[in-house]
Amino acid sequence: MKKIIPFYIFAFFTCSVFAQSNDIWVSFPNKDTTLVGFKDKNGIVKIEPKFSGFITAQKFENIIAVSEEENGKWKSYYLTKQGKVVGRDSLFTFDNSPDCENEGYIRFRDSKTDKMGIYNGEGKIVIPAAYDVVSKVHNGLISVLKGAKKKRDPLGEHFFWTGGKELLIDLNNKVLVNNFKSDNNLNFYSLEKSKEPSKDKTRDNFLGVDGQYYSFINYEKEFTNWLRNTLLTDLSKANLEKHSFEKITYWKEPDGWLNVPKSKFIEQNYLYLKLKLEELKNPKTDYFIATDGLNQFIFESPEYDIYFNNCHESKDWIYPVKNIVINPKNKADFKQDHLHFLRTEKGYKLISVAGAKDNLK
């Protein structure tokens, strides 16, 4: 895979960026595990356990979302390392979990206007609450939705946004691209800026308001290109091992998820892997590629820590998992084959497999 040299947006724009602290605190529970506090790398307690289980941050780098009981009532807010409290009752939550900082920034939602904005690590508002939807900060860039309408789904359980305009902005709240379309497949850390559109077929181009083009690697295009031109052209054991994670996790009945060194897995399951990957060369094969993040409940050991953020959420915006799902030839058989490839700093790596029953050893 072509090596990606990240182009940081900070080089182009003057941004007030809060420097992240190297003194990262870690969470710890009280005796009955009902409350959580924080201590530094030397084990010195910085905050006695007082926060509820609602807190998701396992590491305290600059700013976190917390919740605690006071006089019989629960209150939630953002807390900085310096003890500053901001955003009372204005936490941004998704799937019942509060936001987690990224690059020293965290999102909030104004409870009165229902609009979103961003705090920096010092608890200062850098992006005002003027947008319907705001993405995490990625390489100093933010994708926002403005002018949309909130509607309830037919079942009445969830809300969704319709209409509006998607923009790409920087940390100065400056619009870089109008009519921006981010389908969660863009690598913001691969930004290139040029007078002409990039001819790289793995990139998506966007015309900026300054007349120049902003291009980003599209993960879907990148993976498809890698699969076709790097992996499927050589299905030898050596090439499969080269493009596999050090350990491969696989599902086997009735044991569940197992984890073994890649050399052992490939040696024992080479015929199965080769057969399934050969099928992808056949245009009649019924398969699709889904995108996800690394499963935090399966990949729990320290070697996977780099792929998760301070709240142990998958960093799928830079380390997505591409799941090749192969449907059975016999339509009466509902068992699918799954080959998961994690994007790492050294390219895509086969990291887990879920095959048809009794196929894997």
Side-chain angles (χ1 to χ4, degrees), residues 119-337:
Y119 286 113
N120 68 10
E122 295 175 311
K124 298 178 181 178
I125 294 177
V126 292
I127 302 297
Y131 303 101
D132 303 309
V133 179
V134 172
S135 74
K136 287 183 180 291
V137 176
H138 299 140
N139 195 21
L141 299 169
I142 309 110
S143 172
V144 299
L145 180 66
K146 190 173 185 178
K149 292 185 178 180
K150 200 173 189 179
K151 293 188 176 181
R152 189 186 294 272
D153 68 22
L155 297 178
E157 296 180 355
H158 303 284
F159 290 98
F160 65 94
W161 295 97
T162 181
K165 189 175 184 180
E166 191 170 0
L167 311 168
L168 181 68
I169 66 174
D170 65 13
L171 287 166
N172 288 326
N173 199 27
K174 178 182 177 181
V175 177
L176 305 178
V177 178
N178 280 309
N179 300 312
F180 184 69
K181 298 296 179 183
S182 68
D183 58 358
N184 296 322
N185 259 311
L186 297 182
N187 178 359
F188 285 93
Y189 299 89
S190 68
L191 170 65
E192 288 182 358
K193 187 177 177 183
S194 58
K195 294 181 180 180
E196 300 293 334
S198 172
K199 295 181 180 180
D200 186 337
K201 294 183 179 180
T202 66
R203 287 182 168 272
D204 287 353
N205 290 278
F206 302 90
L207 180 61
V209 297
D210 59 1
Q212 298 202 55
Y213 287 88
Y214 294 73
S215 73
F216 305 89
I217 287 176
N218 182 299
Y219 288 130
E220 184 175 346
K221 296 177 181 178
E222 179 187 59
F223 178 74
T224 301
N225 180 70
W226 172 84
L227 180 66
R228 183 187 302 117
N229 298 313
T230 301
L231 189 64
L232 297 184
T233 55
D234 180 5
L235 293 177
S236 64
K237 288 183 181 179
N239 199 45
L240 286 178
E241 187 168 334
K242 177 182 177 181
H243 297 292
S244 294
F245 204 79
E246 289 305 312
K247 292 183 180 178
I248 294 181
T249 301
Y250 67 103
W251 178 268
K252 182 174 176 60
E253 298 285 358
D255 305 309
W257 289 107
L258 302 175
N259 186 284
V260 298
K262 63 180 180 180
S263 57
K264 179 180 179 180
F265 180 85
I266 292 173
E267 181 65 32
Q268 293 179 335
N269 298 281
Y270 176 64
L271 292 180
Y272 165 79
L273 290 173
K274 184 177 181 181
L275 174 64
K276 289 302 168 184
L277 290 170
E278 286 282 7
E279 288 184 24
L280 303 182
K281 299 180 182 181
N282 187 342
K284 294 184 179 180
T285 299
D286 182 13
Y287 78 96
F288 63 92
I289 300 174
T291 301
D292 204 346
L294 207 59
N295 191 317
Q296 61 180 300
F297 301 108
I298 297 176
F299 301 93
E300 298 179 306
S301 57
E303 63 199 292
Y304 305 109
D305 285 351
I306 185 179
Y307 304 107
F308 297 97
N309 66 9
N310 291 346
C311 302
H312 207 60
E313 301 165 334
S314 172
K315 293 161 67 172
D316 52 10
W317 53 88
I318 193 167
Y319 302 119
V321 173
K322 293 297 183 178
N323 178 15
I324 301 176
V325 183
I326 306 173
N327 291 314
K329 295 178 180 179
N330 182 358
K331 300 302 179 182
D333 184 1
F334 297 102
K335 186 70 175 181
Q336 298 172 316
D337 290 280

Side-chain angles (χ1 to χ4, degrees), residues 86-106:
V86 296
R88 290 187 181 275
D89 299 318
S90 295
L91 300 190
F92 168 68
T93 59
F94 183 76
D95 282 347
N96 296 318
S97 295
D99 200 28
C100 194
E101 76 165 275
N102 199 52
E103 298 181 14
Y105 299 89
I106 200 165

